[in-house]
Amino acid sequence: MREILTLQLGNLSNYAATHFWNAQESYFTYHDSEEESVVDHDVHWRPGIGADGNETFLPRTVIYDLKGGFGSLRKINPLYYDYDATSNSVAAAGSLWSGEPAVHKQQPVKPSAYQQSLDAGTEPAPLTTSNVRYWSDYSRTYFHPKSSVQLYDFELHSSIRPFESFSMGTELFSSLDKQHDIVDRDWRPFVEECDLMQGMQVFTSLDDAWGGFCSSYLEQLRDEYPKSCIWVWGAQSPMTDVPGEKRQLRMANVAQSLHQACSQASVLVPLALPETSLVPPIRLNRSSYWHTSALFAAMAESALIPSRLKRSVDHASMADLAESLNTSGNQTLVSAGISPFPETAGVENEKEITSLLQLGRTGAEMKNRRNRIFGQIIGCRGPVHDDTNGEDTSDGPQRKVIGNPVIRKYLTTLEFPLLDSYPHIFTSAASKTSMPVHTFLRTDTSISMSLRALRAQISRLIDLDEREGLSNGIAEIADAYQDDWSSGSDDDDDDL
């Protein structure tokens, strides 16, 4: 069946994953007159039986967020009713107290106007940055009751006890795991439903406590499923108007997250907006998670679309894609770039690409520097052209000479859907329901420079007892992207 399971960790990642699931939902066809979808829905969706006995088809995902992060999303929805939870709570109350129980309920969050219009089957109300309060405000899908896991130890946007440091995430995971065995309770039931799982994808943030939570979770997953392919999409919040002290904390969190996750994931793709102006036609509000996550979701959804296509000639598994990028076996960290509405079809034009790898650099130091590519995957969605520029297509990489880069290109006519739940962040998307997009995943020598710059910036921000291990770990990851002919260059910074 080639199933892929998704793990969503934290508020920003849930914003991105909601866009992802909305896109997957849009690929379904409901009428015989519609052309059959090229997407295999069984990859990301699981069959089941609803409360009324009818068949359901819901995402294969587990969603974690803090108290107050789910908004109006409820475990009880029109497809499922948690009868067992209701009866168990009544029985438990009766066994502990002989008198009349006093129930205190927090006022539930009112569904957004967009959600209300979806439930009523009317024209959806327009979404704006001012009326999107939670990621559930624009969700177009139902989720299984077991998919939603709310963590009550911390509250979203708390000013008293913010969930913002790497160590907080590792400590929370350790505490919860001692009580419940999280992977066994939340994750294993979805794995056991799969016939032949091709891999897992994780949406997380790297610059807050969820980076620590994710690192601990990945360690457990790797112990339980040592041979599984795990792709991690690591989002970072924009640094706009962030105070210096908090900026330093975020950088330290990113470094610790990379250090730990790179040893467990098959592919780790950091996603962050450039601090400089974005490449046209992208124009978004950096202070809105709804906007920034939309770009991240377009990248993640488009880059892995070969893993969910029906036709075998177009299909590539998550493991195949990972192998093309990790050519040496220790190049887990991958840089990402996206080019929406590309002007030149089938041609890689660096001027059109928005780089989403922003680790310890502003971009100026990378200018005019030629980087050696180890592995690269180019995804082209939209009109198919014959020009492949001599690159390998989806037939598979053929390394003709040892040391040559592995380059694969995947073409599909299925464009990225621009739904009414998706923000207007592209100036070229007026009145359009879909867009062509090119995505780029790459391992090259620029990653080494970025990591060394990050190492230099955070070396004095980490506690002394952790500094040496983290600094050496980041340097070891960077060494995997060092050009063989310049390994002894002056770029080395062992004196840090």
mmCIF file of all heavy atoms in Angstrom, residues 275-300:
data_model
loop_
_atom_site.group_PDB
_atom_site.id
_atom_site.type_symbol
_atom_site.label_atom_id
_atom_site.label_comp_id
_atom_site.label_asym_id
_atom_site.label_seq_id
_atom_site.Cartn_x
_atom_site.Cartn_y
_atom_site.Cartn_z
ATOM 1 N N GLU A 275 15.807 36.617 5.653
ATOM 2 C CA GLU A 275 15.589 37.890 6.348
ATOM 3 C C GLU A 275 15.536 39.048 5.370
ATOM 4 O O GLU A 275 14.995 40.113 5.674
ATOM 5 C CB GLU A 275 16.686 38.113 7.388
ATOM 6 C CG GLU A 275 16.612 37.123 8.541
ATOM 7 C CD GLU A 275 17.440 37.565 9.726
ATOM 8 O OE1 GLU A 275 17.558 38.785 9.949
ATOM 9 O OE2 GLU A 275 17.984 36.694 10.420
ATOM 10 N N THR A 276 16.123 38.856 4.192
ATOM 11 C CA THR A 276 16.038 39.871 3.142
ATOM 12 C C THR A 276 14.710 39.732 2.411
ATOM 13 O O THR A 276 13.892 38.870 2.737
ATOM 14 C CB THR A 276 17.206 39.728 2.167
ATOM 15 O OG1 THR A 276 17.204 38.387 1.634
ATOM 16 C CG2 THR A 276 18.530 39.968 2.879
ATOM 17 N N SER A 277 14.474 40.561 1.420
ATOM 18 C CA SER A 277 13.217 40.526 0.672
ATOM 19 C C SER A 277 13.081 39.214 -0.085
ATOM 20 O O SER A 277 14.063 38.625 -0.540
ATOM 21 C CB SER A 277 13.152 41.701 -0.304
ATOM 22 O OG SER A 277 14.241 41.652 -1.197
ATOM 23 N N LEU A 278 11.832 38.745 -0.223
ATOM 24 C CA LEU A 278 11.549 37.490 -0.905
ATOM 25 C C LEU A 278 11.564 37.687 -2.411
ATOM 26 O O LEU A 278 11.281 38.766 -2.925
ATOM 27 C CB LEU A 278 10.192 36.955 -0.463
ATOM 28 C CG LEU A 278 10.100 36.535 1.012
ATOM 29 C CD1 LEU A 278 8.649 36.342 1.405
ATOM 30 C CD2 LEU A 278 10.875 35.251 1.238
ATOM 31 N N VAL A 279 11.900 36.595 -3.105
ATOM 32 C CA VAL A 279 11.929 36.629 -4.559
ATOM 33 C C VAL A 279 10.501 36.701 -5.086
ATOM 34 O O VAL A 279 9.628 35.928 -4.645
ATOM 35 C CB VAL A 279 12.639 35.381 -5.118
ATOM 36 C CG1 VAL A 279 12.615 35.376 -6.644
ATOM 37 C CG2 VAL A 279 14.067 35.297 -4.599
ATOM 38 N N PRO A 280 10.192 37.637 -5.989
ATOM 39 C CA PRO A 280 8.855 37.681 -6.598
ATOM 40 C C PRO A 280 8.550 36.333 -7.250
ATOM 41 O O PRO A 280 9.470 35.658 -7.736
ATOM 42 C CB PRO A 280 8.962 38.799 -7.631
ATOM 43 C CG PRO A 280 10.098 39.639 -7.147
ATOM 44 C CD PRO A 280 11.056 38.692 -6.503
ATOM 45 N N PRO A 281 7.280 35.883 -7.277
ATOM 46 C CA PRO A 281 6.068 36.642 -6.935
ATOM 47 C C PRO A 281 5.591 36.448 -5.495
ATOM 48 O O PRO A 281 4.405 36.599 -5.227
ATOM 49 C CB PRO A 281 5.066 36.064 -7.916
ATOM 50 C CG PRO A 281 5.444 34.599 -7.982
ATOM 51 C CD PRO A 281 6.950 34.576 -7.880
ATOM 52 N N ILE A 282 6.494 36.076 -4.565
ATOM 53 C CA ILE A 282 6.088 35.819 -3.190
ATOM 54 C C ILE A 282 5.974 37.135 -2.428
ATOM 55 O O ILE A 282 6.907 37.938 -2.405
ATOM 56 C CB ILE A 282 7.095 34.893 -2.483
ATOM 57 C CG1 ILE A 282 7.267 33.589 -3.262
ATOM 58 C CG2 ILE A 282 6.641 34.607 -1.065
ATOM 59 C CD1 ILE A 282 8.384 32.706 -2.737
ATOM 60 N N ARG A 283 4.830 37.340 -1.798
ATOM 61 C CA ARG A 283 4.618 38.522 -0.961
ATOM 62 C C ARG A 283 3.700 38.115 0.183
ATOM 63 O O ARG A 283 2.527 37.836 -0.014
ATOM 64 C CB ARG A 283 3.980 39.654 -1.769
ATOM 65 C CG ARG A 283 3.879 40.977 -0.983
ATOM 66 C CD ARG A 283 3.278 42.054 -1.858
ATOM 67 N NE ARG A 283 1.937 41.708 -2.306
ATOM 68 C CZ ARG A 283 1.252 42.379 -3.234
ATOM 69 N NH1 ARG A 283 1.819 43.422 -3.835
ATOM 70 N NH2 ARG A 283 0.037 42.005 -3.584
ATOM 71 N N LEU A 284 4.265 38.054 1.383
ATOM 72 C CA LEU A 284 3.488 37.543 2.511
ATOM 73 C C LEU A 284 3.727 38.367 3.773
ATOM 74 O O LEU A 284 4.652 39.178 3.850
ATOM 75 C CB LEU A 284 3.804 36.063 2.761
ATOM 76 C CG LEU A 284 5.269 35.620 2.896
ATOM 77 C CD1 LEU A 284 5.868 36.001 4.226
ATOM 78 C CD2 LEU A 284 5.382 34.110 2.684
ATOM 79 N N ASN A 285 2.873 38.126 4.732
ATOM 80 C CA ASN A 285 2.942 38.777 6.040
ATOM 81 C C ASN A 285 3.762 37.887 6.975
ATOM 82 O O ASN A 285 3.312 36.816 7.378
ATOM 83 C CB ASN A 285 1.530 38.986 6.587
ATOM 84 C CG ASN A 285 1.512 39.738 7.901
ATOM 85 O OD1 ASN A 285 2.536 39.886 8.566
ATOM 86 N ND2 ASN A 285 0.341 40.230 8.288
ATOM 87 N N ARG A 286 4.962 38.315 7.319
ATOM 88 C CA ARG A 286 5.859 37.484 8.121
ATOM 89 C C ARG A 286 5.346 37.258 9.533
ATOM 90 O O ARG A 286 5.755 36.310 10.200
ATOM 91 C CB ARG A 286 7.252 38.127 8.184
ATOM 92 C CG ARG A 286 7.984 38.149 6.853
ATOM 93 C CD ARG A 286 9.284 38.937 6.959
ATOM 94 N NE ARG A 286 9.985 39.000 5.681
ATOM 95 C CZ ARG A 286 10.954 38.174 5.315
ATOM 96 N NH1 ARG A 286 11.343 37.230 6.141
ATOM 97 N NH2 ARG A 286 11.535 38.291 4.145
ATOM 98 N N SER A 287 4.474 38.120 10.017
ATOM 99 C CA SER A 287 3.969 37.982 11.381
ATOM 100 C C SER A 287 2.799 37.007 11.471
ATOM 101 O O SER A 287 2.312 36.718 12.560
ATOM 102 C CB SER A 287 3.533 39.343 11.926
ATOM 103 O OG SER A 287 2.466 39.881 11.163
ATOM 104 N N SER A 288 2.339 36.483 10.333
ATOM 105 C CA SER A 288 1.201 35.563 10.303
ATOM 106 C C SER A 288 1.684 34.137 10.033
ATOM 107 O O SER A 288 2.268 33.857 8.987
ATOM 108 C CB SER A 288 0.202 35.990 9.217
ATOM 109 O OG SER A 288 -0.774 34.992 9.002
ATOM 110 N N TYR A 289 1.422 33.226 10.984
ATOM 111 C CA TYR A 289 1.745 31.812 10.779
ATOM 112 C C TYR A 289 0.962 31.249 9.601
ATOM 113 O O TYR A 289 1.438 30.351 8.899
ATOM 114 C CB TYR A 289 1.425 31.011 12.036
ATOM 115 C CG TYR A 289 2.531 30.971 13.060
ATOM 116 C CD1 TYR A 289 3.700 31.704 12.883
ATOM 117 C CD2 TYR A 289 2.416 30.191 14.208
ATOM 118 C CE1 TYR A 289 4.712 31.667 13.827
ATOM 119 C CE2 TYR A 289 3.428 30.139 15.155
ATOM 120 C CZ TYR A 289 4.568 30.879 14.959
ATOM 121 O OH TYR A 289 5.569 30.830 15.899
ATOM 122 N N TRP A 290 -0.236 31.743 9.382
ATOM 123 C CA TRP A 290 -1.052 31.283 8.256
ATOM 124 C C TRP A 290 -0.339 31.554 6.934
ATOM 125 O O TRP A 290 -0.386 30.725 6.014
ATOM 126 C CB TRP A 290 -2.399 31.999 8.316
ATOM 127 C CG TRP A 290 -3.368 31.675 7.222
ATOM 128 C CD1 TRP A 290 -3.710 30.436 6.785
ATOM 129 C CD2 TRP A 290 -4.129 32.602 6.438
ATOM 130 N NE1 TRP A 290 -4.640 30.528 5.771
ATOM 131 C CE2 TRP A 290 -4.916 31.857 5.543
ATOM 132 C CE3 TRP A 290 -4.229 33.986 6.422
ATOM 133 C CZ2 TRP A 290 -5.776 32.455 4.638
ATOM 134 C CZ3 TRP A 290 -5.098 34.585 5.528
ATOM 135 C CH2 TRP A 290 -5.853 33.828 4.641
ATOM 136 N N HIS A 291 0.336 32.687 6.833
ATOM 137 C CA HIS A 291 1.067 33.048 5.616
ATOM 138 C C HIS A 291 2.382 32.281 5.490
ATOM 139 O O HIS A 291 2.648 31.647 4.464
ATOM 140 C CB HIS A 291 1.344 34.559 5.610
ATOM 141 C CG HIS A 291 0.240 35.367 5.028
ATOM 142 N ND1 HIS A 291 0.447 36.498 4.270
ATOM 143 C CD2 HIS A 291 -1.107 35.217 5.080
ATOM 144 C CE1 HIS A 291 -0.708 37.011 3.878
ATOM 145 N NE2 HIS A 291 -1.668 36.257 4.376
ATOM 146 N N THR A 292 3.225 32.365 6.517
ATOM 147 C CA THR A 292 4.551 31.757 6.411
ATOM 148 C C THR A 292 4.470 30.246 6.244
ATOM 149 O O THR A 292 5.221 29.653 5.460
ATOM 150 C CB THR A 292 5.391 32.101 7.649
ATOM 151 O OG1 THR A 292 4.700 31.677 8.831
ATOM 152 C CG2 THR A 292 5.640 33.591 7.746
ATOM 153 N N SER A 293 3.545 29.612 6.965
ATOM 154 C CA SER A 293 3.411 28.160 6.855
ATOM 155 C C SER A 293 2.896 27.739 5.485
ATOM 156 O O SER A 293 3.145 26.610 5.047
ATOM 157 C CB SER A 293 2.475 27.638 7.942
ATOM 158 O OG SER A 293 1.159 28.132 7.757
ATOM 159 N N ALA A 294 2.170 28.630 4.798
ATOM 160 C CA ALA A 294 1.658 28.304 3.464
ATOM 161 C C ALA A 294 2.795 28.059 2.483
ATOM 162 O O ALA A 294 2.736 27.146 1.647
ATOM 163 C CB ALA A 294 0.750 29.425 2.967
ATOM 164 N N LEU A 295 3.853 28.872 2.588
ATOM 165 C CA LEU A 295 5.013 28.676 1.710
ATOM 166 C C LEU A 295 5.739 27.385 2.055
ATOM 167 O O LEU A 295 6.155 26.630 1.169
ATOM 168 C CB LEU A 295 5.958 29.870 1.816
ATOM 169 C CG LEU A 295 7.144 29.885 0.849
ATOM 170 C CD1 LEU A 295 6.655 29.959 -0.597
ATOM 171 C CD2 LEU A 295 8.078 31.050 1.153
ATOM 172 N N PHE A 296 5.886 27.100 3.359
ATOM 173 C CA PHE A 296 6.533 25.860 3.784
ATOM 174 C C PHE A 296 5.747 24.645 3.308
ATOM 175 O O PHE A 296 6.332 23.642 2.869
ATOM 176 C CB PHE A 296 6.656 25.825 5.312
ATOM 177 C CG PHE A 296 7.500 26.919 5.902
ATOM 178 C CD1 PHE A 296 7.377 27.266 7.238
ATOM 179 C CD2 PHE A 296 8.417 27.612 5.115
ATOM 180 C CE1 PHE A 296 8.155 28.270 7.793
ATOM 181 C CE2 PHE A 296 9.200 28.630 5.659
ATOM 182 C CZ PHE A 296 9.069 28.953 7.002
ATOM 183 N N ALA A 297 4.414 24.726 3.395
ATOM 184 C CA ALA A 297 3.582 23.603 2.979
ATOM 185 C C ALA A 297 3.674 23.357 1.476
ATOM 186 O O ALA A 297 3.697 22.205 1.024
ATOM 187 C CB ALA A 297 2.128 23.854 3.380
ATOM 188 N N ALA A 298 3.726 24.434 0.694
ATOM 189 C CA ALA A 298 3.864 24.282 -0.761
ATOM 190 C C ALA A 298 5.171 23.577 -1.096
ATOM 191 O O ALA A 298 5.226 22.751 -2.022
ATOM 192 C CB ALA A 298 3.799 25.655 -1.435
ATOM 193 N N MET A 299 6.215 23.891 -0.338
ATOM 194 C CA MET A 299 7.508 23.250 -0.539
ATOM 195 C C MET A 299 7.440 21.763 -0.189
ATOM 196 O O MET A 299 7.815 20.898 -0.991
ATOM 197 C CB MET A 299 8.556 23.960 0.335
ATOM 198 C CG MET A 299 9.938 23.326 0.310
ATOM 199 S SD MET A 299 10.783 23.541 -1.260
ATOM 200 C CE MET A 299 11.545 21.918 -1.439
ATOM 201 N N ALA A 300 6.956 21.456 1.000
ATOM 202 C CA ALA A 300 6.928 20.071 1.465
ATOM 203 C C ALA A 300 5.985 19.210 0.631
ATOM 204 O O ALA A 300 6.309 18.072 0.277
ATOM 205 C CB ALA A 300 6.517 20.025 2.939
#
